[in-house]
Amino acid sequence: MSENCNHDCASCSQNCGERTEIQKFKPHPKSRIKHVIGVLSGKGGVGKSLVSGLLASALAKKGFKCGVLDADITGPSIPKIFGIKEKAGASADGDGILPVEAANGIKVMSLNLLLEHENDPVIWRGALITSAVGQFWTDVIWGDLDYLFIDMPPGTGDVTMTVFQSIPIDGIIIVTSPQQLVGMIVDKAVKMAGKMDIKVLGLVENMSYLKCPDCGKEIELFGKSRLYETAGEFNISPAIKIPLDPAVAKACDEGRVFDVEEPALEALINKIS
């Protein structure tokens, strides 16, 4: 046992003598979820919430019932990009928490939907944060869903480990951007998934390039991409590049992520649907 042990085995990968059986979270009895997919980024600010919103919206347009669990407790952004203003509340019988439906029918649960003001900071330690994510799985009445996307917090810390070990996910999608520093962190995320026997379903590079509106040339604003090299190294397919598009940023700021069409994601959508 490490001298820094907090006795939370769900958020620890060490195989020590003090280890207890990892708790498996059970979904709410009224939740029937067919597929659970995590969206992970090794670093913040690369667009995992955007990718979560785009994938859920694209599948909803194909007729699937989708939801997004916002596991980024201290930096939630899913309600904003879906334009959700109302708060989540208890079911009529008090049996659980009802997620809020976006304009396109996607069900969303986020800590911001429980706060009095969406700008209130969440100053919690790790144990409280992982507990909240667990409750979004066990206490929220998701109903019938074909796909639930879990928008993970940045990095490979407590929440990521808890989701990997305690929620039955089908696999993860890793989101990155072209900077070399981010690429290095992606390597760590892929290796962590491998050690924990989690399938990587795809690799998405956001802000990969800017297309010139006049000549159509692809301008690599953040440096040369290593996406295909990384995907090849770890045998990940598909590997997808999403361009930097001011119109997409505007749609998210206005709560209209479901209006965005991103053809580049089609190969990934076909793989998971």
Side-chain angles (χ1 to χ4, degrees), residues 10 13 21-22 25 40 48 70 74 76 82 103 118 149 202 212 216 218:
S13 60
E21 184 177 354
I22 296 170
F25 297 147
L40 174 69
K48 61 179 177 51
D70 191 350
T74 59
F82 277 100
E118 65 177 14
F149 291 91
C212 176
E218 295 181 0

Side-chain angles (χ1 to χ4, degrees), residues 134-197:
Q135 287 183 292
F136 286 173
W137 175 258
T138 60
D139 296 356
V140 172
I141 303 173
W142 291 101
D144 292 313
L145 288 183
D146 295 304
Y147 293 92
L148 177 67
F149 291 91
I150 302 182
D151 182 23
M152 307 277 235
T156 54
D158 286 358
V159 170
T160 302
M161 295 182 67
T162 297
V163 170
F164 282 6
Q165 294 177 326
S166 300
I167 294 176
I169 65 173
D170 294 270
I172 61 171
I173 295 161
I174 296 179
V175 183
T176 182
S177 62
Q179 297 96 326
Q180 286 189 7
L181 173 63
V182 177
M184 178 187 70
I185 298 172
V186 167
D187 291 354
K188 294 178 182 292
V190 173
K191 290 174 181 176
M192 175 187 181
K195 287 182 178 181
M196 302 186 74
D197 199 27

Side-chain angles (χ1 to χ4, degrees), residues 69-83:
L69 188 163
D70 191 350
D72 195 349
I73 300 298
T74 59
S77 56
I78 291 295
K80 172 71 174 177
I81 68 174
F82 277 100

Side-chain angles (χ1 to χ4, degrees), residues 1-260:
M1 179 176 65
S2 167
E3 61 181 11
N4 297 319
C5 180
N6 63 0
H7 305 287
D8 181 8
C9 295
S11 63
C12 176
S13 60
Q14 298 298 314
N15 188 21
C16 71
E18 300 295 321
R19 188 171 188 83
T20 58
E21 184 177 354
I22 296 170
Q23 179 185 5
K24 300 292 185 180
F25 297 147
K26 293 183 179 180
H28 191 281
K30 295 180 181 177
S31 296
R32 292 165 294 278
I33 304 167
K34 293 180 181 178
H35 303 287
V36 182
I37 298 173
V39 181
L40 174 69
S41 63
K43 188 177 183 298
V46 299
K48 61 179 177 51
S49 296
L50 169 65
V51 171
S52 298
L54 290 176
L55 289 172
S57 297
L59 286 165
K61 289 173 185 175
K62 290 179 177 288
F64 294 104
K65 296 178 181 178
C66 297
V68 181
L69 188 163
D70 191 350
D72 195 349
I73 300 298
T74 59
S77 56
I78 291 295
K80 172 71 174 177
I81 68 174
F82 277 100
I84 295 175
K85 300 294 184 183
E86 62 185 289
K87 301 300 180 185
S91 60
D93 58 6
D95 188 34
I97 304 169
L98 294 175
V100 178
E101 286 195 21
N104 62 342
I106 291 175
K107 295 180 179 180
V108 171
M109 188 62 216
S110 169
L111 191 68
N112 257 17
L113 304 181
L114 300 174
L115 298 176
E116 183 177 358
H117 305 291
E118 65 177 14
N119 292 329
D120 289 345
V122 178
I123 308 172
W124 290 359
R125 294 190 182 276
L128 275 177
I129 292 173
T130 54
S131 175
V133 173
Q135 287 183 292
F136 286 173
W137 175 258
T138 60
D139 296 356
V140 172
I141 303 173
W142 291 101
D144 292 313
L145 288 183
D146 295 304
Y147 293 92
L148 177 67
F149 291 91
I150 302 182
D151 182 23
M152 307 277 235
T156 54
D158 286 358
V159 170
T160 302
M161 295 182 67
T162 297
V163 170
F164 282 6
Q165 294 177 326
S166 300
I167 294 176
I169 65 173
D170 294 270
I172 61 171
I173 295 161
I174 296 179
V175 183
T176 182
S177 62
Q179 297 96 326
Q180 286 189 7
L181 173 63
V182 177
M184 178 187 70
I185 298 172
V186 167
D187 291 354
K188 294 178 182 292
V190 173
K191 290 174 181 176
M192 175 187 181
K195 287 182 178 181
M196 302 186 74
D197 199 27
I198 301 295
K199 184 184 298 184
V200 179
L201 301 172
L203 187 59
V204 178
E205 183 176 80
N206 188 34
M207 301 178 287
S208 184
Y209 58 89
L210 174 68
K211 181 169 286 189
C212 176
D214 295 322
C215 68
K217 179 181 178 181
E218 295 181 0
I219 305 168
E220 296 178 319
L221 289 176
F222 300 110
K224 186 172 178 57
S225 171
R226 287 186 61 252
L227 177 71
Y228 297 137
E229 290 86 343
T230 301
E233 179 183 352
F234 294 104
N235 195 28
I236 300 172
S237 179
I240 292 166
K241 293 183 177 183
I242 297 180
L244 183 64
D245 188 343
V248 173
K250 186 174 186 291
C252 290
D253 286 343
E254 295 175 352
R256 300 183 293 102
V257 69
F258 41 78
D259 287 340
V260 177

